[in-house]
Amino acid sequence: MKLLDHRGVPMPSREVAPQARYMGHDRSGILSMRRAVTRDVKVDVREAASRAFALAFDFMQNSGRIAGATDQIIADMIGPELKLNCQPDLASLGYDDQEKAAWCRMVEREWRRWSWNPWECDLEGKASVQEMLDGAVRYYLAGGEALATIDFLGRGDRRRYGLETGTKVRLVSPHRLTRYSSPMEGWDQGIYHDELGRPMSYRFRRSEGGLERDIDVLARAGSVAQVIHVMDRGATPNSPRGITPMAPAFKVIAQSDQFADATLTTALLQTAFAATIKSPEPSETAFEALQQLNDMDGFQGNKDLATDLMSVWEHRLDALKTKSLSIGGDTSQVNHLGPGEELELHSSATPGPQYQPFQMGLMQEVARCLGVTLESLTMDHSRANYSSVRMAVATIWPTIARRRERIPSVMAQGIYEAWLDEAIGTGRIPLKGGYQAFAANREKVVDAEWRGPAKPSADPYKDAIARKVQLETGQTTLKQIASEEGRDWEEDLDQITREVERFREAGVTPPHGRMSGGEGAGPLGGAADGMREPADG
């Protein structure tokens, strides 16, 4: 069959060949109206990073929710302390397992003593290493990167300030690293790269004596880093600089604030004009009617009627002049109403039922971008239950752990390596073979893990029972469990050993160990005396 035109003549047929292509379904033109170009990520970072840094810091300083989310992210990633857990390979230096464990405990004690002393670790003598790590995460959230410089004070300066160590750290704001770029010279956004693309020096803008000037700092001094530059390079591949991770949520954050401000303004206006007076006083239409009464011919008594109406309104106006109405003043009371008037009180209709769902939708997008749960961002747990909290934590926690490994852990490792280099070089921390052995095996000696707070739990008791079952069935280890909770299982074992010895010295059954026997006995059957559940099971 063929289609016919208005003259009955068959219309020519057009066969449209089927096509398979991306975005071929955009018949409405929504995607075609969205401007997008293909270029290197570093170009986008260079053009937007400075403005994004300013906006991010503005939100962090002036938005209660964003400020709270920032504190929550820092607490999740670092907690009270990012703990050092030495993991060196000292077998080639002649250490057995016991000697290695003792060396690691000594290093960890010395590191904690140094890192928590601002006068020793900070070049300006103000912040501990843990506070610097907090600042590094805050700078990362605002600028997508964090920087610190490593300085070394000579003997004279150490004597002047009464210092034991020379290694000092200074946290640097990302906006202090210039955006100077010159591809011909090798400079890209304040970083000089060699022919392989490796960073060789950084150009910082420092304020000295009230004057701003540029200073070039070498990236490394031998094997020790002088500039520690951390960022999530997976988020901005092939870019030498980073950008705030909250950049995709800027519009939504601003919309949420604007929506809240507009709603509040409407509610205030409705509250201010919540009381009205319904009055029968003459309107423009009534005065026109009176004029028509005066002009009517053939109607007996029209002029007298108009005069009487004017007399009634005159009495009402006189009453309004002599009496008063007060709402919201010092007396907060209604004194008198005019004749025929009625006071009507109105309730505020804002925010309406649509406010909360829409605002929560905006907050969900912000929470997803920042890497926090919706409950953490809004502090609203009214709709949360055990299952939803577990799912939310399970979804967010990998993001927290990933960021911890890429930002504060890298910063802490860089500072630790510089500190350990000096400590071994000066003999404060002994090492078999001395500094020469350390220099030849640097990567093996400085290897370490950095442990933050444990994964949050919706029900610690249920989680403890699950871990108990996993241990008994061989599905996990004490090392894995301790690592998830930010602890060292060997330190736990040493402490438990000391506690068991003290309990036995006091003649008290120690509480540590597996309890079995009786109903639901474990794989070992009956437990030792004093360790049975139930007591005589």
Side-chain angles (χ1 to χ4, degrees), residues 46 145 147 174 176-182 186-193 199-205 214-217 219 227 229 240-241:
R46 183 173 63 243
E145 56 189 352
L147 297 115
R176 284 292 175 180
L177 181 60
T178 67
R179 295 283 173 180
Y180 175 73
S181 299
S182 178
W187 288 93
D188 192 355
Q189 301 188 60
I191 306 175
Y192 175 75
H193 300 83
M200 303 304 295
S201 62
Y202 292 75
R203 179 164 293 178
F204 293 99
R205 178 159 295 170
D214 294 342
I215 298 178
D216 293 343
V217 180
V227 177
H229 182 201
R241 303 287 299 273

Side-chain angles (χ1 to χ4, degrees), residues 237-265:
N238 298 323
S239 174
R241 303 287 299 273
I243 191 169
T244 170
M246 69 174 70
F250 279 163
K251 185 181 72 172
V252 179
I253 297 173
Q255 286 174 338
S256 175
D257 289 347
Q258 187 178 21
F259 184 38
D261 290 342
T263 303
L264 177 61
T265 301

Side-chain angles (χ1 to χ4, degrees), residues 75-142:
D76 290 340
M77 294 173 66
I78 299 177
E81 178 184 11
L82 204 61
K83 294 183 179 180
L84 167 65
N85 182 33
C86 293
Q87 295 291 323
D89 182 4
L90 303 179
S92 59
L93 299 179
Y95 284 80
D96 59 26
D97 291 342
Q98 188 174 0
E99 290 176 324
K100 171 187 171 181
W103 188 86
C104 290
R105 300 292 87 78
M106 176 187 62
V107 171
E108 291 168 2
R109 287 194 302 269
E110 290 298 314
W111 162 258
R112 195 175 194 282
R113 185 173 66 87
W114 178 83
S115 65
W116 277 101
N117 186 352
W119 197 248
E120 282 287 347
C121 63
D122 186 12
L123 182 63
E124 299 177 353
K126 300 174 182 176
S128 67
V129 170
Q130 302 302 328
E131 290 171 320
M132 294 184 203
L133 296 181
D134 291 350
V137 175
R138 197 173 296 273
Y139 276 141
Y140 160 72
L141 293 174

Side-chain angles (χ1 to χ4, degrees), residues 306-354:
T307 302
D308 292 339
L309 289 175
M310 287 298 298
S311 178
V312 171
W313 284 326
E314 184 179 356
H315 285 298
R316 288 176 177 170
L317 291 175
D318 289 339
L320 289 177
K321 291 178 182 180
T322 56
K323 304 297 181 180
S324 62
L325 177 68
S326 176
I327 298 179
D330 295 335
T331 56
S332 299
Q333 62 182 348
V334 178
N335 294 326
H336 189 76
L337 293 176
E341 292 181 333
E342 179 182 350
L343 178 65
E344 184 175 357
L345 298 176
H346 305 278
S347 61
S348 176
T350 302
Q354 75 284 353

